[in-house]
């Protein structure tokens, strides 16, 4: 069926087209909205990174404290054990003191060789590879 071409009918169709298309916001408004969205994203990424590092530090701190306590109690236990074997408290705990002195000297001598792996561990923890 042929469509009648009535002048009022064509105008009505053009007005409908104008109303159905959403108005395009100016480029300045779009850039402003993009900048705000980008800023929010960066803020959330910074919050996530900061809380992740903080949680990791807290977990590592609890682990280190637990290990230090276990080491301390193991040292006291070993001291009493050696004291029982040597039949002298001062000799048992003296042996433990000499052991710790030797460990400290070992660390002092090989300090430069031990620093690099520790630095790498800290860098990996910060940047979370």
């Amino acid at each position: 069926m042929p469509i009648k071409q009535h002048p009022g009918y064509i105008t009505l169709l053009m007005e409908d087209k104008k109303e159905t298309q959403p108005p395009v916001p100016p480029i300045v408004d779009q850039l402003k909205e993009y900048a705000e969205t980008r800023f929010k994203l960066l803020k959330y990424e910074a919050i996530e990174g900061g809380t992740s590092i903080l949680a990791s530090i807290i977990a590592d701190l609890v682990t280190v404290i637990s290990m230090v306590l276990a080491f301390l109690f193991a040292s006291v236990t070993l001291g009493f054990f050696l004291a029982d074997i040597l039949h002298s408290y001062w000799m048992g705990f003296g042996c433990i003191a000499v052991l710790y002195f030797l460990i400290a000297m070992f660390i002092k001598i090989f300090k430069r060789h031990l620093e690099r792996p520790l630095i790498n561990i800290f860098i990996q923890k910060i940047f979370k590879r």
Side-chain angles (χ1 to χ4, degrees), residues 2-121:
I3 300 176
K4 294 182 183 179
Q5 297 215 352
H6 188 272
Y9 180 72
I10 293 173
T11 309
L12 184 62
L13 283 177
M14 290 179 139
E15 287 177 7
D16 283 344
K17 276 188 174 179
K18 287 180 185 175
E19 289 178 13
T20 58
Q21 293 178 350
V24 177
I27 190 77
V28 174
D29 291 340
Q30 288 178 349
L31 287 173
K32 190 177 184 181
E33 185 178 329
Y34 174 76
E36 289 173 357
T37 304
R38 186 76 178 142
F39 178 73
K40 283 182 183 179
L41 177 64
L42 289 173
K43 185 172 82 171
Y44 292 144
E45 286 176 349
I47 290 171
E48 178 190 11
T51 54
S52 174
I53 289 172
L54 183 64
S56 177
I57 288 172
I58 290 172
D60 289 344
L61 187 63
V62 169
T63 303
V64 166
I65 290 172
S66 298
M67 290 175 68
V68 166
L69 287 172
F71 183 74
L72 179 70
F73 285 115
S75 297
V76 171
T77 303
L78 184 60
F80 279 120
F81 176 72
L82 289 176
D84 189 41
I85 289 175
L86 299 172
H87 304 292
S88 173
Y89 285 116
W90 72 269
M91 287 180 76
F93 284 97
C95 289
I96 299 299
V98 168
L99 176 68
Y100 290 152
F101 178 76
L102 292 174
I103 291 171
M105 289 288 95
F106 177 80
I107 290 173
K108 179 74 173 166
I109 292 169
F110 295 105
K111 179 181 177 185
R112 292 193 190 268
H113 298 292
L114 296 173
E115 283 179 345
R116 183 56 52 192
L118 291 174
I119 290 170
N120 290 337
I121 289 170

